[in-house]
Amino acid sequence: MTTVKILVGLAVLALAALAVAVYVARAQLPSFEELKSSPNGQMIRVHAADGSVIVSLGPSYGEWLSYSTIPLVMRDATIAVEDRRFRSHPGIDPIGIARSAMIRYERGRWIQGGSTITQQITRTIFLNNQKKFGRKFREWILSLAMERKFSKDQILELYLNKVYYGGGAYGIDAASRKFFGHGAEELSLAEAAVIAGLVKAPSNYSPTADADAAVGRAGVVIQQMVRNGYVTPAQAAAADPKGLKLAPAARQNSARYFTDWALPLLDTLIDETQAPLEVWTTIDPAMQRQADAAIRANVPAGAQGALVSLDRDGAVRAMVGGTDYVSSIYNRATQAVRQPGSSFKLFVYLAALEAGHKPEDSIVDEPVTIDGWSPRNDSRRNSGPVSLRTAFAYSLNTVAAKLGQEVGFTTIADMARRFGITTPVNTHPAMVLGTSDVRLIDMTRAFASVAAKGVDVVPYGITRVTARGQTIYTHEVDRSRVLVAPYVAAEMTDLLQTAVNTGTGRQAQIGRPVAGKTGTTTSLRDGWFLGFSSGLTTGVWMGRDDARPVRGLHGGTAPARAFAAFMKPATATRPVEQFDTQVTLPEWQLEPDEASYFGTPDEGMAVDEDGNPIATAPAATVEPETAPAAPVEPAAPPARSPQQQLDDLIDSVTRDTPAPAPLPTRAPVRPLPPGTVPPRQPPVQSGDPRPTQ
């Protein structure tokens, strides 16, 4: 008898303690309105520059539906499959708990849960899914408190608007719109059964992931509705989950390359981690479509392409990281590091111009050897004295090497880093031909800084962020960092114009002033074109991810064509802007842009960081200190007459240059003695038609 009294006393104390705990929990619960507004996770909506929504990330919420507007079939389906004693239990279901414990004892593991609808919404709002007794005990206390503070209808309303249904959708309205393309007020019996069946295992029963599993689960829900008297057998037979039409999945377009790059930056810009965010970005939807189309239309078969376009203040207007985001989310515009070829000569000539050279300066194109390295021009010929403008326009490798030796390879590397190159830059002589790996977005930034008259341009994608209607971040453009003097940037623009008008970048012309540079790496592994016009700077890269050669890929072919295909419509509504220096044509047509280290493509030969070929067959072991140097250019042939030299040039063009565009008529220019400055050609407006030879 004493034992019984002790047990009864303990039970009374336990009940009293439980009552006190429930009372305290009830007093601490938020109001119903506060529970309605509390988020289940951080949602991020990303807006384009025109205000349209590019993508919504994180939890997706539909319209909040009051209890009276929730379809009866949806309420009945949920109660039937999740908690058929919902209307009678006090928040926890002793019968369900006992049944679950019995099955656990028989099977040796938890097979069936005993959670009520009240427990599930309590867990969703206040707790987590850890299967620990301490968490479960708190869940019971809170569930009992919820039932003491709110009505059954209010609890069911919270549940149907806040529970996770898969695919990022929280609440029945978001689920209905995601899977069926309409609001939850229009749910049919079959649709309600599919949605109600998702709660148990959203990833397993999602109709977009496994339609058969979703239909089978919906059948179970309808059977439970018949068993509990919510629908008649005839109504159940008329419902046809198999015949449901699902809403088409949203297409993952190329703008996701941009959002994948921009959104991680939020961690460094704001501290808000709970409230839903509205992120306003720089991306221009029309330009993005044009960029996507330009890459798809021009990239060689089997290759990949990338494009970045920056406005004059660094705003990213378009970003394409590959030909298809769905098949490859790897962003070649911001992640890939590739050799830039002759486009790297931007930094060589910037260093030379800053050191005092002028575009009209004469320099001798002749064989050169630097520390055992002997670069050659693609034509395997040398042109004698030429202006820097001509050397840049036709990407003469020997001239770039001589300039590098003169100003210093470390100086050029410093110039590249000054203009935003974030990858390591080597200081070997061959670096002048672009043997250091770079990122497309960094190279585009460098060209944009030249277009900005030497002021640093930093790419950015987020303009402002709002939370709860308040602006918590606004981007501010910093124009205070000057990289080179304005006259240096103007002279560089002078050279870049020439490369587009009659040099290697002719196919990048768009009918208005354009300045730019091509780049092609050895064996045609990478093709680049970077340029600017009317305040917009665009960089294009093409190549294979495995770095295998791409037949016919030159910077002046597919990449330049993609640049033009994008820039023509992208600048169509912008006023035509003349550069500070009018275009001056070079002396003559010399050669295509191929960063040839030792002549024509080697059909797969790789080069090391010095620009020397890497042997593909086993070679005899040589001690490092006695290893032979790269092949040295043979001695220059005997002096030839000016007419003979001109004939050689014409012969090199007709034999080595693929189908050039019509060239302007110019009088033959005879090679000048070293140190003689040729007369400056009269200015010609970009795009002026001239008769062909």
Side-chain angles (χ1 to χ4, degrees):
M1 191 68 178
T2 303
T3 303
V4 173
K5 288 182 179 179
I6 293 174
L7 291 175
V8 171
L10 290 175
V12 171
L13 288 175
L15 288 174
L18 179 62
V20 171
V22 170
Y23 177 80
V24 172
R26 179 186 182 280
Q28 295 176 344
L29 286 175
S31 67
F32 185 71
E33 291 301 320
E34 290 174 320
L35 291 179
K36 285 174 59 176
S37 62
S38 63
N40 293 347
Q42 190 171 37
M43 177 183 178
I44 301 175
R45 288 205 309 171
V46 184
H47 298 262
D50 63 359
S52 61
V53 177
I54 305 173
V55 65
S56 295
L57 303 174
S60 174
Y61 304 101
E63 296 293 328
W64 185 277
L65 301 182
S66 64
Y67 180 83
S68 61
T69 57
I70 298 172
L72 180 61
V73 289
M74 188 69 245
R75 300 190 312 237
D76 291 344
T78 300
I79 293 174
V81 74
E82 290 297 323
D83 186 4
R84 60 192 180 93
R85 284 181 288 274
F86 172 69
R87 295 291 179 180
S88 59
H89 63 63
I92 58 175
D93 184 5
I95 298 175
I97 294 173
R99 183 179 63 252
S100 178
M102 184 178 297
I103 294 175
R104 166 70 175 82
Y105 175 77
E106 293 174 351
R107 304 284 183 88
R109 58 190 179 92
W110 292 107
I111 301 295
Q112 181 176 354
S115 296
T116 64
I117 285 176
T118 309
Q119 288 175 260
Q120 291 181 50
I121 190 59
T122 297
R123 185 164 59 244
T124 297
I125 297 175
F126 301 112
L127 304 170
N128 53 46
N129 289 316
Q130 291 180 344
K131 294 182 178 180
K132 296 181 178 179
F133 183 77
R135 194 274 300 165
K136 197 69 176 178
F137 182 74
R138 291 195 299 274
E139 179 184 301
W140 289 344
I141 298 297
L142 287 170
S143 297
L144 291 170
M146 288 277 286
E147 293 272 354
R148 305 286 77 74
K149 186 164 186 173
F150 307 116
S151 69
K152 291 286 187 179
D153 291 352
Q154 287 178 314
I155 291 172
L156 188 58
E157 179 182 331
L158 285 172
Y159 180 89
L160 292 173
N161 281 284
K162 295 184 78 69
V163 164
Y164 183 59
Y165 287 98
Y170 285 81
I172 57 171
D173 192 64
S176 178
R177 294 178 189 278
K178 176 176 179 60
F179 298 122
F180 304 119
H182 59 74
E185 301 97 325
E186 306 171 27
L187 286 171
S188 65
L189 172 58
E191 291 171 339
V194 169
I195 292 177
L198 290 171
V199 177
K200 181 179 180 180
S203 59
N204 293 340
Y205 297 124
S206 171
T208 56
D210 191 336
D212 292 338
V215 169
R217 178 64 176 166
V220 172
V221 174
I222 293 174
Q223 290 175 6
Q224 288 295 103
M225 294 179 73
V226 172
R227 185 176 302 171
N228 289 277
Y230 293 120
V231 296
T232 65
Q235 290 173 318
D240 182 19
K242 292 183 179 180
L244 292 176
K245 292 184 178 180
L246 299 178
R251 183 175 178 269
Q252 298 292 317
N253 59 43
S254 65
R256 287 300 304 274
Y257 286 117
F258 169 77
T259 57
D260 288 353
W261 168 75
L263 292 183
L265 301 176
L266 286 174
D267 291 339
T268 64
L269 302 178
I270 61 174
D271 296 325
E272 179 61 63
T273 60
Q274 296 296 325
L277 301 178
E278 301 287 336
V279 180
W280 306 84
T281 70
T282 60
I283 201 77
D284 184 303
M287 289 189 189
Q288 183 66 28
R289 290 190 295 269
Q290 292 154 3
D292 200 26
I295 291 297
R296 289 173 180 266
N298 290 282
V299 69
Q304 277 288 350
L307 181 151
V308 175
S309 189
L310 306 179
D311 218 325
R312 63 180 81 246
D313 65 346
V316 177
R317 297 304 183 194
M319 178 182 287
V320 176
T323 56
D324 182 18
Y325 181 84
V326 175
S327 62
S328 174
I329 64 173
Y330 180 59
N331 193 337
R332 296 156 188 85
T334 61
Q335 295 175 283
V337 288
R338 304 292 292 246
Q339 289 188 357
S342 290
S343 63
F344 191 84
K345 290 175 184 175
L346 174 79
F347 309 115
V348 178
Y349 280 78
L350 278 170
L353 293 171
E354 190 174 58
H357 277 286
K358 298 296 179 184
E360 299 85 0
D361 287 355
S362 179
I363 189 167
V364 180
D365 172 21
E366 61 185 348
V368 60
T369 298
I370 305 171
D371 296 337
W373 174 66
S374 301
R376 289 182 179 178
N377 298 323
D378 184 51
S379 64
R380 285 181 170 266
R381 296 178 183 273
N382 300 108
S383 306
V386 295
S387 69
L388 258 62
R389 177 178 290 103
T390 298
F392 184 82
Y394 301 115
S395 206
L396 299 183
N397 297 325
T398 55
V399 172
K402 292 179 73 172
L403 290 175
Q405 185 178 36
E406 176 188 334
V407 302
F409 303 111
T410 300
T411 301
I412 295 170
D414 289 341
M415 182 67 73
R417 286 188 285 265
R418 191 193 309 177
F419 271 76
I421 299 302
T422 57
T423 47
V425 180
N426 69 58
T427 55
H428 302 289
M431 61 93 74
V432 299
L433 304 187
T435 58
S436 296
D437 290 335
V438 297
R439 296 184 177 88
L440 175 59
I441 193 169
D442 289 348
M443 288 295 291
T444 308
R445 172 188 179 181
F447 277 75
S449 297
V450 173
K453 303 182 180 181
V455 176
D456 189 22
V457 172
V458 180
Y460 71 97
I462 297 175
T463 57
R464 63 188 175 96
V465 181
T466 62
R468 302 185 183 95
Q470 300 294 319
T471 299
I472 60 175
Y473 169 78
T474 301
H475 178 77
E476 295 182 2
V477 177
D478 181 6
R479 300 179 181 274
S480 63
R481 186 165 179 257
V482 178
L483 305 179
V484 292
Y487 78 88
V488 173
E491 291 174 342
M492 191 70 242
T493 301
D494 182 357
L495 300 180
L496 291 168
Q497 288 183 85
T498 307
V500 173
N501 276 271
T502 61
T504 58
R506 292 187 301 273
Q507 295 196 52
Q509 296 176 9
I510 61 173
R512 60 173 65 201
V514 176
K517 184 70 181 79
T518 56
T520 309
T521 60
T522 187
S523 301
L524 312 183
R525 289 178 169 85
D526 304 90
W528 299 70
F529 186 86
L530 303 107
F532 48 87
S533 177
S534 302
L536 201 62
T537 302
T538 299
V540 176
W541 167 88
M542 291 182 183
R544 289 177 58 100
D545 288 338
D546 58 9
R548 292 172 56 190
V550 180
R551 184 177 297 276
L553 178 62
H554 293 260
T557 56
R561 289 194 294 268
F563 172 90
F566 167 75
M567 288 289 282
K568 282 181 182 178
T571 60
T573 59
R574 296 182 174 218
V576 176
E577 297 182 14
Q578 301 295 336
F579 297 121
D580 291 342
T581 56
Q582 293 181 323
V583 64
T584 302
L585 301 181
E587 296 165 2
W588 47 53
Q589 167 73 17
L590 290 178
E591 61 175 75
D593 174 42
E594 181 178 328
S596 175
Y597 297 90
F598 293 94
T600 56
D602 54 20
E603 300 301 332
M605 180 177 67
V607 296
D608 61 19
E609 62 184 4
D610 298 318
N612 295 318
I614 299 174
T616 55
T621 302
V622 181
E623 293 298 323
E625 60 271 18
T626 61
V632 178
E633 178 73 20
R640 296 167 63 81
S641 69
Q643 184 60 46
Q644 288 176 319
Q645 293 187 40
L646 181 59
D647 292 340
D648 288 343
L649 289 172
I650 296 173
D651 177 63
S652 72
V653 171
T654 56
R655 185 179 67 253
D656 297 331
T657 303
L663 302 178
T665 299
R666 302 187 60 80
V669 179
R670 300 187 178 189
L672 301 176
T676 303
V677 178
R680 185 179 180 88
Q681 303 295 336
V684 179
Q685 294 296 330
S686 175
D688 282 351
R690 290 177 177 268
T692 59
Q693 288 182 332

